[in-house]
Amino acid sequence: MWKSVVAGAVLLCSATAVSQEITADDVIRKAMDNYRGLTSHGQMSMTIHRQDWQREMAMNTWTEGDKRTLVRVTAPAKDAGNGTLSVDGNMWTYSPKVNRVIKVPASMMSQNWMGSDFSNKDVSKDTDIIDQYQHQLVGNYEQDGHHVFVIQSIPHEEAAVVWGKEVLHIRDDWVILEHQFWDQDDTRVKTLRTLEIREMDGRNVATVIRMGKEDATDEWTEVRTTLVDFDIELPENLFTLSNLRNPR
Amino acid sequence: MNLTWRLAWRNLWRHSRRTWLTVGAMVFCNVLLIFLISLQLGSYQMMIDNSLAAYTGHVQIQHRGYLEQQRMRQSIPEISALADELRTTLGQGDVAARGMAFALASSRERSFGVLLSGVQASYEPGVSTFPGLIRQGRYLNPGDSEHIVVGAVLAQNLKVGLGDEITFIGSGRDGSFAAGVAVVVGILESGMEEIDRSVAQVPLAWFQQMFSMGEGGHAVVVRLPGLEQVPAALATAWTLVEKSPDLVVHDWDAMQPGLRQAIASDMASGWFMYAVLIILVAFSVLNTQLMSVLERTREFGVMLALGMRPVQLARLIGMETLLMSGLGMALGVALGSVLTWYLSVAGFAYPGMEELGAKFNMPGRMYPEVSLLSLLWGPAVVFLGGLLAAVYPALRLLRLVPVAAMRAA
């Protein structure tokens, strides 16, 4: 019995030791850097699952720094060419059917993106969470030989955020295992779970992630990353409206 | 007529002026109640009709669950055919098919989220007052395709005028990207901010094509001549959708539950006023009967001495009140029905109401509802209140002692 108490104490000490070395802000920062890199280019497929139907699409994504993201749909043929550009918290969407670029108003950022369970804000992969939230390390555990940090992020008073809090489980190789979204009544609304992690371009990447609403278990959206390159040279005009309209 | 009734009747007319005054109070109260209740019920009828005529209609066929969740996929296949079938089967009222989708509307300068409706240009004016509220341009014509009618506030927000383009982006029924460009042909102004901010109507066929709806839509809307036809129309619609288990029929109460609640709360405040009126009349009856008992104390003493039982005396007072209240009710109902019947035919308008009605594409006069309920409810309560008021004077008689009563002043 003493053994287990001692072991527990040691474990506790080591846990606090680790958490003292690194702050919650650092963990979030590193996790964001890990999945965005300085620049990145990825190919992914998205599966939207509903009770009575399912739909798949494929897309290319590019990111640069914290605030620039471009998503372009490549399949199915009916939707190919549709794109979404996000720069500094602003978002535009382009559709070849009407050959027009439309700015997505701020009031629509929490609306779903093209019928999926991801919001426009989720798709812009904005790193607002870094500076608009107060982060706190609320726990940690071991999993598959990795240390996992549990971080609770509460938005600042003045932040324009719909969530009451977000809880992230981040592994010590900076892969986000779970990202929970809680509303202001402290109920969990949706959760982004990592289902598969693989090494790609020298980093561990969450290759299969699934966003699911808490109140409807048969409705989810899965994003499968088939290819990703980090820290590559991107054309200068990639994140511009004219490129959104006329891709080169 | 037996003796006691004759006695009661004659007693009433020993003070004809007093009796007439009390009866007059009852008649006045009854006429007022009949008029107010009929007007109130009539105005509810109008309130319901006006609210439903705006857009919702009396009855709608929808996909099961669409009312609560409003999901794109909860649609009705072959909706125009279903609407045609219902139109023929009903034989009265108007029927139109609609599709609804949430989309991002964008002009050159601004973007807003809107609920876009696909409507049948030839049938929509029958089920909704919106088409009659166009202030600039025109409503959709059956031949239109990439054309749109928007509310004035929405037009202002988007900074578009007649002939300008609005771009829409949303998701189709199959989850695909939906996009389209429509030219503004009409601007609708109802004066109600909420409506003017949200109305965006395009032809159903174009809507179906843009949102990959096939021949589908989301609601078959029925507008009937009046609320009385609702149950029959509901039944007819149900028989039509019997073969498709996914479809349901909703009546107006299910679609606009707030309407009945608003009426119930208004009704409650109305009844409070009526109660005050009825209590005042009851006190006037109490006053009359108490006076007539007190002034006849000596007479009652004599009658007791002659062998009449106190219970018979009390019954006498009861009969007098019954006769008086009955007279008040008969005259009140007669006068009240003539008045409200006239108004229900000729209509009734507050100053300025007709202009208001013209502006909102609504009827300019209101018609009190003449029904057994509106005619008899008020007078019946006044009648009962009068009888109740006679209980105290009658009870006093039970304790009357003959000798003391005869000596009373």
Side-chain angles (χ1 to χ4, degrees), chain B residues 357-381:
Chain B
K359 192 177 170 204
F360 294 119
N361 194 13
M362 291 185 318
R365 300 176 83 77
M366 53 196 295
Y367 298 88
E369 185 192 288
V370 183
S371 66
L372 220 55
L373 181 81
S374 67
L375 288 184
L376 293 182
W377 221 104
V381 176

Side-chain angles (χ1 to χ4, degrees), chain A residues 50 52-53 55 57 73 78-79 82 93-95 97-98 100-105 108 111-115 219, chain B residues 71 73 102-104 106 111-113 165 167-171 173-181 210 212:
Chain A
R50 293 289 177 267
D52 52 344
W53 64 290
R55 164 183 165 73
M57 42 192 201
V73 177
K78 195 178 174 188
D79 292 336
N82 282 283
T93 178
Y94 169 76
S95 172
K97 279 182 199 158
V98 289
R100 271 177 181 71
V101 169
I102 293 187
K103 187 175 190 307
V104 180
M108 299 264 297
Q111 296 290 332
N112 64 38
W113 185 76
M114 297 306 164
E219 296 189 1
Chain B
R71 291 197 178 179
R73 288 189 67 81
F102 192 71
L104 180 60
S106 168
S111 310
F112 288 94
E165 287 182 340
T167 309
F168 293 96
I169 285 200
S171 333
R173 186 179 184 277
D174 56 357
S176 63
F177 290 76
V181 182
M210 171 166 156
S212 313

